[in-house]
Amino acid sequence: MSPQPGLLRTLSEDLAVVVARDPSLTGRREALGHTGLSALWAHRVAHRLYGRGLRTAARTVARVARRRTGVEIHPGAVLGRRVFIDHGASVVIGQTAVVGDDVTIYQQVTLGAVGWWTDNRRPPGARRHPVVGNGVVLGANATVLGPVTVGDHALIGAMATVTEDLPPGARVYAPRSVVRPAPGLRPVGDATGLAGPPGIPDAVRILASAGSW
């Protein structure tokens, strides 16, 4: 992760990345209303407040951003330059997470901890959340849990779950859904040998077999 420039320079880079990576936008003015950008900008402010010990103010900014964008980023999380949060809905990034430069995050991504039953046994101040390297892509509903490290330029596909370190350039995909053909329709039969449940009058079954209704 490269050193962070001033706040205004960082915000300008964030805006430029949204314009470059979201083909639905026509320019910078429209990009100002992008949900992921709003969440990221709010976090930039909240993180600086958090770093100065203004934790209540930082959490207030984060809470307002969550209500307005659906993105929950703990003020303590460290996000690098030119991070792109597409759509943004239900993205969660935990307190000790570190996200590198040029990372792309799609909707419903979680960078979380394993759980309190494990984290409460860690030494005070120990990392509980992932470190994500530069240029990583996190697909929709991807989940990375625990103090793992994701190497630079790795790709974690949609619905994939990661609980161990990944080397640079790794590719992680969730199992594909099983596609089965539609179940065959039960034959209706003809007027001389009708097939159908007992108790239905013959006249009704004849109309059904002829396609009259």
Side-chain angles (χ1 to χ4, degrees), residues 141-205:
N141 207 24
T143 301
V144 187
L145 300 179
V148 301
T149 299
V150 178
D152 292 349
H153 305 291
L155 186 152
I156 301 175
M159 305 289 292
T161 299
V162 173
T163 57
E164 58 188 36
D165 292 347
L166 296 180
R171 298 292 185 265
V172 181
Y173 302 106
R176 293 186 179 182
S177 300
V178 176
V179 179
R180 302 184 186 278
L185 299 177
R186 187 160 135 187
V188 176
D190 55 31
T192 58
L194 296 173
I200 298 178
D202 288 350
V204 175
R205 280 183 274 146

Side-chain angles (χ1 to χ4, degrees), residues 3-47:
Q4 286 283 356
L7 179 59
L8 293 180
R9 169 76 179 277
T10 301
L11 300 182
S12 178
E13 288 183 344
D14 294 336
L15 177 59
V17 166
V18 170
V19 175
R21 297 188 191 177
D22 192 336
S24 70
L25 301 174
T26 58
R28 296 171 69 91
R29 180 174 299 179
E30 187 179 1
L32 290 172
H34 191 277
T35 301
L37 179 65
S38 299
L40 186 58
W41 277 0
H43 173 72
R44 302 291 193 198
V45 174
H47 183 68

Side-chain angles (χ1 to χ4, degrees), residues 86 88-92 106-110 139-143 159:
D86 198 6
S90 301
V91 168
V92 177
Y106 287 93
Q107 66 271 18
Q108 296 181 304
V109 164
T110 298
N141 207 24
T143 301
M159 305 289 292

Side-chain angles (χ1 to χ4, degrees), residues 40-155:
L40 186 58
W41 277 0
H43 173 72
R44 302 291 193 198
V45 174
H47 183 68
R48 280 165 170 75
L49 293 172
Y50 191 86
R52 295 173 183 174
L54 303 173
R55 297 175 65 123
T56 300
R59 285 183 174 273
T60 300
V61 172
R63 187 161 55 246
V64 171
R66 181 184 184 278
R67 291 184 61 181
R68 294 182 63 88
T69 67
V71 178
E72 182 169 346
I73 309 175
H74 192 284
V78 178
L79 272 62
R81 300 170 63 177
R82 300 176 298 277
V83 173
F84 176 50
I85 302 176
D86 198 6
H87 302 295
S90 301
V91 168
V92 177
I93 301 176
Q95 178 189 16
T96 63
V98 178
V99 177
D101 300 334
D102 303 297
V103 171
T104 299
I105 301 174
Y106 287 93
Q107 66 271 18
Q108 296 181 304
V109 164
T110 298
L111 302 179
V114 175
W116 59 265
W117 50 89
T118 297
D119 294 334
N120 284 350
R121 296 197 298 269
R122 300 186 192 279
R127 184 163 61 87
R128 297 175 285 113
H129 300 93
V131 169
V132 177
N134 298 328
V136 172
V137 175
L138 298 157
N141 207 24
T143 301
V144 187
L145 300 179
V148 301
T149 299
V150 178
D152 292 349
H153 305 291
L155 186 152

